[in-house]
Amino acid sequence: MLVLPTACDVDGRPSTVTIRSGSTGNGHLGRPAMPFTIGSRPEVARMLLDAANTVMLKAGCAPGEPLRVTSPFVTVAEDDGSAGSPLCRIPGVTFGFGPGSRYRKQVGVVDGRLQTCSVVWKAPGTPDEPAAQYVMAGDPRMAALFAGLPEGAGHGLVRTECNGRPTVFYGNAGSGLKGSGRPGDRRVFENFTESVSRRIGCGAGEGA
């Protein structure tokens, strides 16, 4: 997902561009979902930028210079993509996935302004199903994406300030994992908030 510049805001909220890949087979089993990768991270980033630059030109909100990548991608090496405990190496983010589960974790960016951790359910012949997402957004433009959502630890959304920046902590467990948090879903979200807060050097925030 790419957050567009302020000139492209709609009703005071940021606009975004997203790209999602998908592929299906065709045979005696019908049209099952098939593995499909649209490219490496840099290639996908260039696709996003090309799409965003085209959209902004048509919408009349393009900046003077086209958007481009200006820093390397932050990645975390993982030996195994299976979802385990703690999830995405975040202390206290623990679920009861059960033996032989098909839950897979996806570790995203881990830096001072953004951290993402997601879980998907993978089964042969079916699309990947989002199962859980945890996000820390410490960039004002990204934090603004959560405006209007119910707030508080019970809703999985906490706002605070860290080093003078608006910071949002968000967590959601889908129907397949709801109730599987150890010792509870709310406690897992609170652990996420507290652990990431410590990592980036700020308090957990009121209501966490």
Side-chain angles (χ1 to χ4, degrees):
M1 181 178 70
L2 179 68
V3 183
L4 299 182
T6 306
C8 299
D9 286 3
V10 177
D11 297 329
R13 300 186 65 181
S15 299
T16 66
V17 173
T18 63
I19 290 180
R20 181 177 179 180
S21 65
S23 178
T24 57
N26 191 6
H28 70 283
L29 296 177
R31 297 185 62 81
M34 302 291 289
F36 180 66
T37 301
I38 58 178
S40 65
R41 292 182 186 223
E43 290 169 338
V44 172
R46 286 193 291 271
M47 292 173 64
L48 268 172
L49 292 174
D50 288 344
N53 288 323
T54 300
V55 167
M56 290 188 295
L57 283 172
K58 291 187 175 182
C61 62
E65 295 290 333
L67 301 180
R68 60 189 180 90
V69 176
T70 58
S71 60
F73 289 90
V74 180
T75 60
V76 177
E78 293 288 333
D79 295 331
D80 184 2
S82 299
S85 295
L87 184 64
C88 298
R89 304 184 186 178
I90 304 172
V93 181
T94 303
F95 285 91
F97 293 109
S101 75
R102 296 184 179 272
Y103 288 110
R104 308 283 288 183
K105 68 175 181 288
Q106 295 180 346
V107 180
V109 175
V110 182
D111 64 19
R113 296 191 306 161
L114 180 66
Q115 180 166 348
T116 63
C117 170
S118 60
V119 182
V120 296
W121 171 264
K122 288 181 173 286
T126 62
D128 294 352
E129 180 183 343
Q133 298 84 35
Y134 290 88
V135 178
M136 179 279 294
D139 180 278
R141 299 288 294 159
M142 289 185 286
L145 297 175
F146 296 85
L149 296 177
E151 297 184 19
H155 295 290
L157 178 63
V158 168
R159 293 181 182 274
T160 186
E161 281 199 3
C162 182
N163 300 320
R165 296 195 312 265
T167 303
V168 170
F169 296 88
Y170 170 80
N172 176 65
S175 57
L177 281 179
K178 193 171 292 294
S180 299
R182 299 291 184 266
D185 293 353
R186 173 167 175 159
R187 184 65 248 179
V188 167
F189 172 70
E190 292 171 342
N191 290 344
F192 167 76
T193 302
E194 293 166 4
S195 295
V196 177
S197 292
R198 285 193 297 269
R199 183 183 67 79
I200 62 177
C202 70
E206 184 177 354

